[in-house]
Amino acid sequence: MATREKGATSGTSGTGRNPRRLVIVESPTKARKIAPYLGRDYVVEASVGHIRDLPRGAADVPAKYKGESWARLGVDVDHDFEALYVVSPDKRAKVTELKSLLKDADELFLATDPDREGEAIAWHLLETLKPKVPVRRMVFHEITESAIRAAANDTRELDNDLVDAQETRRILDRLYGYEVSPVLWKKVMPKLSAGRVQSVATRVVVSRERDRMAFRSAEYWDILAKLDAGEKASPRTFGARLVSVDGSRVAQGRDFGADGQLKSSSVTVIDEPYARRLAEALGGVDLVVSSAESKPYTRKPYPPFMTSTLQQEAGRKLRFTSERTMRIAQRLYENGYITYMRTDSTTLSESAINAARAQATDLYGAEYVHPTPRQFTRKVKNAQEAHEAIRPAGDVFATPGQLHSSLDTDEFRLYELIWQRTVASQMADARGTTLTLRIEGTAGTGEVCTFSASGRTITFAGFLKAYVESVDELAGGQSDDAESRLPALEEGQAVTATELEPDGHTTNPPARYTEASLIKALEEMGIGRPSTYASIIKTILDRGYVYKRGSALVPAWVAFAVVGLLEAHFGRLVDYDFTAAMEDDLDKIAEGQAQRGNWLSNFYFGGDVGAEGSVARSGGLKKMVGTRLEDIDAREVNSIKLFKDDEGRDVYVRVGRFGPYLERAVKDSSDGAAPDAVVSQRANLPDELPPDELTVEYAEKLFATPQEGRVLGVDPASGNEIVAKEGRFGPYVTEILPEPEAPQEDPAKPPAKKAAKKVAGPKPRTGSLLKSMSLETITLEDALRLLTLPRVVGNDPATGEEITAQNGRYGPYLKRGTDSRSLANEEQMFTVTLDEAVQIYSQPKQRGRQASTAPPLRELGKDSATDKPMVIKDGRFGPYVTDGETNASLRKGDEVESITDARASELLADRRARGPVAKKTTKKAAAKKAPAKKAAAKKAPAKKVAAKKA
DNA sequence: CAGTGAGCGAGCTTCCGCTTGACTT
């Protein structure tokens, strides 16, 4: 492991000839671009991003560290959080290449991006390449010949504080992700994940859905008037809306809260009957303009694109997903059409500003260009601004028309968008007028009614001629070039109403997030980086936390469970300000005002509340994870309380292994049940039912619908319908028996007893699917075959007992009285003959350890620790090494044929070191919750999923 | 959420942020 020393870089060398320099940048495209600027004394090569990282999992950890308690994390938390870095497998060839290039170089220039990650990449290069020649750090913000040459002549040393800040960020993310995710595996579902970025992203989406679920809509009315201003007016007619009655403002949507109630009492809510009466009473009355207010309208152009805004606009205008936008932008970048596409800066280089202005002048005329160059310095939270804005490449922009034949459709559309936005950014403000008219009249019933109309006329389009930003269709809103013309009326002028239409409205819940609006929200919180926006969406989709419905992101129920758990037990970690606070702390580290080790220690171990950072001041993560594991009740976490039904019973969504389902406690009405006994009533939830559509009424409907599986067809023999379902023990098929004749309802006598007896009648046949089958593909034929089980093989000639073949908990087996024998495969259940069965029974029962006394796959030498001989055996979980006492599975990369004694000893030592921890916790956990059921679940074999959340 | 007879060694899942091909279809 490497430690950092100050001043790892040093001055230039002084040989006679021109020194040869190896320059390493991050991107190959960049390397190609700057090489000509530097000339032949420079060799420019790309690192292609990071070359090393923390090990991804145990398999990536070098043998030397495998036994360490911290190997799982890749960070030695007990020794100043020293990080273990490994060269990423796909970068090994790159590292070799760089090393060989370095052999011919007299000097090394680390020209990675000028931001935190770039500084870290430079340091990793230094650590990995171990150059013997002088090393300099070269930084540039602009790729022009002069900027590159200047950068090569004005190098600096590596900024170790900045590298520290990056490493702190990296380690924090690792500790967060790799400590909290396992909590979810144990409490919710395996393979789930938590992380600083994805968990907040998920929380944001869930939180919006909760708002939608809690939302109560309100109804309100007003009157839409069509007014005539006389034949001289232009336009002659226009629309206006009733805004006040007798001086009291008429309620609008924004006057209502999410609960459907008025937020303030100073407004008047008009209901339908009143709106109709009023419209009637206003018929034919004199209307007069009571005020006409005109204001100038100006609009500045939008800043040039950065990654987030490009993704948002491409999403809205072109309906591209973030991923698609980035894929196309990457191609445009690589082929030299646009500048770098992963940026958080809106800055344009001087030459780009000139190019945009020249093009705007050409196309629209000088008056459409802003008098002075515009620079947009609006800073994004935590922006690092290592690159320019996204714009057409070069000192002269190619017009979309010029590129039409060299780009494909998607590329063209995206280029055009970027080009328009860039050119528009240097154009003049749009100017116009907004006019607000108020029109008054007294209704026949005496009320003084005021109507209002507002219009916008654009007198000078300016930049709007080139580019108008789209508005989010889910959120509503008005675009900047929307015009509505009103006649230029003055106070006192008379108008007449040609139509008075009562108009009803309802308030709407807040819109769901789209990819674009979620990225925008995250960006505003300073969460995520341009290079990760698209992958954040992918992560929460892949984990099943959200799914898409059109362009909307809908949270799955499992996201409610996960977010609920995190909020309740790891609140600080999903706090919206957590990342912002972290960034402040990282800045302090980068400035040398805080220490990486202290900060991480406070974050991980907690301890004294020092000056080392606000994020860290939340109690130690390690302890939190430890205590939470015992505190968190999995059943509670996975029960999402929805509402009370009509009888006051709580209705829950339970997140189970086979998907979410509805549940409530109802009175047990079965035969012989105690009067106050309660049973769970459950109902399946349709796939991808958006949570806010699950209303009380809909829940009742689901409870009333019998649960059904996929109908496969009708059994020709019995006439019964055959269905395939997912059950507690995995997928199975069963038959639907015809309904017993409905008992005659006798209101005087409850028919409970009779009905119960009928239900307990003949049981439907069932059969688990074979391993080779799946619910999606199983056919009626398969199902009928399964329902023939158990199959009578015959009677044992010796004892006369019946032998049957059937499928059980542990797979296929033969049964004769209470004596059983496993079958080798599932097919034998259908094919085994009586002779073969008798033969199998003639063998003693293989049980326990005897069953697994197969010959070892390979014999090894003696264990270095216990001096016992070691052998490799094949077990249920694959090959493992054993010394007769300790067993340890071979890991990824270990081969039965080639494993050495030393490695085998290491595995055994590792296993011993770990101790029987896992077993202890399972037992404890099992004992803690519903004892009876847990015991059964524990016994279930691994492949049949344990019903851990009953 | 169907319901049926044993007892054996776990190991893996997971984070965020930097970059492109090399694969497959």
Side-chain angles (χ1 to χ4, degrees):
Chain A
M1 281 200 286
T3 46
R4 233 172 351 268
E5 286 159 33
K6 300 277 170 187
T9 52
S10 60
T12 51
S13 72
T15 50
R17 61 176 168 76
N18 280 347
R20 277 186 306 241
R21 288 163 171 138
L22 173 62
V23 181
I24 304 180
V25 296
E26 288 181 41
S27 145
T29 309
K30 209 180 203 179
R32 252 179 281 133
K33 211 179 295 175
I34 71 169
Y37 298 150
L38 288 169
R40 73 168 91 120
D41 293 332
Y42 294 78
V43 173
V44 187
E45 189 53 54
S47 73
V48 197
H50 271 291
I51 54 158
R52 298 199 307 183
D53 193 12
L54 300 175
R56 222 169 42 79
D60 293 346
V61 176
K64 191 176 153 195
Y65 301 106
K66 278 214 165 143
E68 302 288 348
S69 55
W70 48 265
R72 186 179 66 82
L73 296 170
V75 177
D76 187 354
V77 292
D78 294 320
H79 292 92
D80 203 28
F81 296 88
E82 229 176 305
L84 170 63
Y85 291 112
V86 293
V87 174
S88 319
D90 56 332
K91 293 294 167 58
R92 282 187 199 133
K94 178 52 78 180
V95 168
T96 313
E97 185 193 350
L98 291 174
K99 274 183 178 164
S100 94
L101 286 171
L102 191 56
K103 278 191 191 131
D104 301 326
D106 301 308
E107 211 170 353
L108 173 61
F109 279 16
L110 299 171
T112 46
D113 291 350
D115 57 17
R116 199 161 65 203
E117 295 296 327
E119 204 72 14
I121 292 174
W123 176 73
H124 282 298
L125 285 166
L126 195 62
E127 287 290 311
T128 310
L129 301 178
K130 299 188 178 63
K132 305 271 192 298
V133 295
V135 178
R136 301 293 300 166
R137 173 82 168 102
M138 170 174 159
V139 282
F140 49 91
H141 288 83
E142 204 180 309
I143 305 182
T144 57
E145 181 159 4
S146 58
I148 298 296
R149 284 180 174 282
N153 289 323
D154 185 23
T155 56
R156 61 167 172 81
E157 302 215 329
L158 203 66
D159 182 344
N160 285 302
D161 289 335
L162 192 53
V163 177
D164 268 349
Q166 188 277 344
E167 195 173 43
T168 307
R169 195 279 307 156
R170 178 68 190 91
I171 293 171
L172 163 87
D173 284 333
R174 169 53 63 91
L175 295 174
Y176 184 144
Y178 275 39
E179 291 286 20
V180 181
S181 297
V183 177
L184 301 180
W185 303 342
K186 287 177 191 121
K187 300 296 179 181
V188 183
M189 222 185 263
K191 298 194 178 182
L192 294 178
S193 61
R196 175 175 56 85
V197 173
Q198 61 168 291
S199 294
V200 171
T202 308
R203 185 183 182 201
V204 166
V205 177
V206 167
S207 172
R208 175 59 54 89
E209 195 72 13
R210 286 179 183 151
D211 291 345
R212 291 172 61 85
M213 291 158 81
F215 185 82
R216 295 295 169 261
S217 157
E219 188 184 320
Y220 60 96
W221 286 69
D222 56 19
I223 298 169
L224 188 57
K226 193 173 172 191
L227 302 173
D228 185 336
E231 56 190 30
K232 276 187 242 161
S234 166
R236 178 171 172 169
T237 61
F238 61 99
R241 205 169 274 286
L242 180 70
V243 290
S244 81
V245 175
D246 282 339
S248 172
R249 194 162 63 75
V250 171
Q252 297 172 303
R254 60 181 152 85
D255 294 314
F256 294 92
D259 56 357
Q261 301 299 311
L262 265 190
K263 284 193 279 196
S264 131
S265 55
S266 66
V267 293
T268 305
V269 182
I270 296 186
D271 61 9
E272 183 176 0
Y274 188 36
R276 295 201 179 283
R277 278 204 311 275
L278 214 48
E280 191 76 21
L282 280 164
V285 308
D286 295 333
L287 297 172
V288 167
V289 174
S290 60
S291 82
E293 226 178 286
S294 143
K295 277 187 196 157
Y297 166 86
T298 58
R299 204 38 105 235
K300 261 172 57 169
Y302 324 100
F305 279 131
M306 51 185 172
T307 307
S308 56
T309 48
L310 176 67
Q311 289 180 6
Q312 286 154 29
E313 276 289 87
R316 288 188 291 239
K317 279 198 154 82
L318 308 178
R319 318 214 131 274
F320 288 177
T321 63
S322 303
E323 196 190 356
R324 183 170 169 198
T325 299
M326 293 312 283
R327 203 171 50 237
I328 299 161
Q330 174 90 28
R331 285 207 303 268
L332 289 171
Y333 165 68
E334 284 172 9
N335 293 317
Y337 296 118
I338 61 167
T339 54
Y340 197 59
M341 64 283 156
R342 289 185 279 264
T343 177
D344 51 19
S345 166
T346 56
T347 307
L348 290 179
S349 71
E350 204 183 308
S351 70
I353 289 178
N354 292 336
R357 296 176 67 80
Q359 207 141 52
T361 312
D362 271 2
L363 290 162
Y364 303 105
E367 73 272 27
Y368 277 91
V369 183
H370 193 255
T372 54
R374 290 185 195 267
Q375 195 61 270
F376 296 83
T377 49
R378 181 181 76 94
K379 283 224 172 93
V380 176
K381 209 183 228 172
N382 307 329
Q384 311 228 352
E385 306 209 60
H387 307 276
E388 260 195 83
I390 304 171
R391 61 161 175 97
D395 292 342
V396 177
F397 298 163
T399 61
Q402 286 164 340
L403 296 181
H404 198 269
S405 56
S406 34
L407 300 179
D408 71 25
T409 318
D410 281 357
E411 289 166 353
F412 177 80
R413 291 206 287 168
L414 196 66
Y415 180 83
E416 190 180 43
L417 198 64
I418 293 167
W419 177 84
Q420 288 170 339
R421 177 98 165 197
T422 310
V423 169
S425 77
Q426 292 304 319
M427 291 174 65
D429 292 354
R431 291 190 301 273
T433 331
T434 57
L435 176 62
T436 308
L437 296 175
R438 290 176 88 82
I439 291 109
E440 224 169 80
T442 306
T445 42
E447 295 97 335
V448 178
C449 295
T450 311
F451 288 81
S452 172
S454 53
R456 179 158 79 196
T457 40
I458 291 169
T459 51
F460 177 70
F463 77 94
L464 291 173
K465 217 161 174 164
Y467 186 91
V468 184
E469 192 166 87
S470 292
V471 290
D472 206 308
E473 69 171 24
L474 291 181
Q478 202 182 30
S479 90
D480 286 328
D481 64 340
E483 260 194 297
S484 54
R485 293 180 62 85
L486 288 181
L489 300 182
E490 281 169 21
E491 208 177 311
Q493 253 176 290
V495 295
T496 51
T498 55
E499 274 174 37
L500 288 160
E501 184 72 39
D503 195 11
H505 315 269
T506 50
T507 55
N508 292 317
R512 287 205 181 89
Y513 284 94
T514 60
E515 287 195 15
S517 63
L518 179 59
I519 285 166
K520 187 175 178 199
L522 292 176
E523 185 191 39
E524 280 164 5
M525 290 187 255
I527 292 174
R529 304 278 313 129
S531 65
T532 62
Y533 292 140
S535 60
I536 294 166
I537 303 285
K538 189 175 181 321
T539 298
I540 61 176
L541 286 169
D542 285 352
R543 295 278 170 276
Y545 291 148
V546 303
Y547 55 92
K548 290 185 77 169
R549 203 177 223 221
S551 60
L553 295 171
V554 186
W557 290 106
V558 68
F560 282 74
V562 166
V563 168
L565 185 156
L566 294 176
E567 285 171 339
H569 301 281
F570 299 94
R572 183 67 181 127
L573 295 186
V574 287
D575 191 312
Y576 294 144
D577 295 328
F578 176 79
T579 293
M582 177 197 79
E583 287 289 346
D584 290 345
D585 293 345
L586 293 185
D587 285 347
K588 284 187 198 131
I589 293 173
E591 287 157 20
Q593 292 166 14
Q595 294 302 309
R596 157 196 177 288
N598 294 346
W599 191 90
L600 284 169
S601 179
N602 273 331
F603 174 72
Y604 192 66
F605 293 114
D608 62 315
V609 178
E612 291 297 343
S614 38
V615 173
R617 259 180 249 148
S618 58
L621 175 66
K622 189 185 177 180
K623 202 169 153 198
M624 253 157 75
V625 168
T627 54
R628 292 301 183 255
L629 263 191
E630 291 170 24
D631 293 352
I632 299 172
D633 179 355
R635 189 191 155 87
E636 196 181 310
V637 162
N638 292 297
S639 301
I640 298 136
K641 198 171 179 175
L642 293 179
F643 37 66
K644 287 190 189 298
D645 66 14
D646 295 342
E647 294 180 36
R649 300 173 294 206
D650 281 320
V651 177
Y652 296 88
V653 167
R654 302 281 309 275
V655 177
R657 171 63 184 80
F658 303 116
Y661 57 93
L662 273 181
E663 189 181 77
R664 69 178 167 198
V666 297
K667 225 179 251 166
D668 186 354
S669 57
S670 69
D671 197 18
D676 55 350
V678 158
V679 291
S680 288
Q681 185 186 16
R682 293 171 175 150
N684 281 328
L685 281 171
D687 276 348
E688 307 205 333
L689 172 74
D692 73 335
E693 289 177 25
L694 183 51
T695 58
V696 181
E697 300 76 45
Y698 194 71
E700 286 302 338
K701 213 174 104 190
L702 292 173
F703 277 126
T705 310
Q707 300 182 25
E708 50 195 34
R710 188 165 79 87
V711 179
L712 299 176
V714 173
D715 177 4
S718 66
N720 291 338
E721 207 167 53
I722 308 295
V723 296
K725 298 170 146 184
E726 188 71 58
R728 221 166 16 125
F729 309 114
Y732 70 102
V733 293
T734 186
E735 60 186 339
I736 306 291
L737 297 180
E739 285 286 317
E741 271 174 51
Q744 288 301 311
E745 287 287 334
D746 182 352
K749 270 192 203 165
K753 214 163 189 176
K754 256 169 110 183
K757 268 197 180 146
K758 289 236 171 179
V759 170
K763 281 186 178 174
R765 294 172 295 161
T766 63
S768 280
L769 266 61
L770 303 186
K771 281 179 220 150
S772 59
M773 300 171 173
S774 79
L775 275 185
E776 290 73 40
T777 58
I778 188 171
T779 62
L780 178 63
E781 203 184 348
D782 294 332
L784 293 175
R785 194 156 171 251
L786 290 175
L787 293 180
T788 63
L789 296 173
R791 165 178 154 256
V792 177
V793 178
N795 290 329
D796 186 341
T799 64
E801 281 175 295
E802 192 177 76
I803 300 178
T804 56
Q806 53 200 298
N807 207 2
R809 206 156 49 140
Y810 308 105
Y813 69 105
L814 292 174
K815 184 174 171 169
R816 184 187 65 187
T818 55
D819 196 9
S820 67
R821 293 287 191 283
S822 282
L823 287 170
N825 60 59
E826 290 176 322
E827 199 49 35
Q828 285 190 355
M829 289 186 291
F830 305 102
T831 59
V832 74
T833 63
L834 182 58
D835 284 349
E836 286 164 347
V838 171
Q839 169 65 26
I840 290 168
Y841 270 105
S842 72
Q843 306 287 327
K845 188 166 188 166
Q846 302 270 304
R847 41 183 329 158
R849 290 184 176 273
Q850 289 170 10
S852 57
T853 49
L857 294 175
R858 202 178 143 215
E859 294 183 21
L860 298 172
K862 290 188 172 171
D863 180 26
S864 55
T866 61
D867 212 32
K868 289 186 197 164
M870 302 180 291
V871 292
I872 307 284
K873 289 185 175 182
D874 199 19
R876 198 158 51 105
F877 304 119
Y880 64 100
V881 56
T882 176
D883 65 347
E885 186 123 351
T886 309
N887 306 306
S889 280
L890 300 199
R891 311 243 180 106
K892 261 189 206 162
D894 293 327
E895 305 259 350
V896 176
E897 297 75 30
S898 57
I899 193 167
T900 60
D901 290 356
R903 172 70 178 143
S905 288
E906 186 184 305
L907 288 174
L908 287 175
D910 192 17
R911 183 71 199 85
R912 281 185 211 106
R914 219 168 307 213
V917 181
K919 251 183 197 159
K920 240 165 91 188
T921 53
T922 0
K923 226 188 243 165
K924 226 165 115 190
K928 252 182 83 167
K929 308 164 241 163
K933 264 203 163 158
K934 286 299 142 177
K938 217 185 114 207
K939 267 196 220 154
K943 79 166 167 75
K944 304 223 175 177
V945 179
K948 100 179 151 155
K949 294 153 304 188

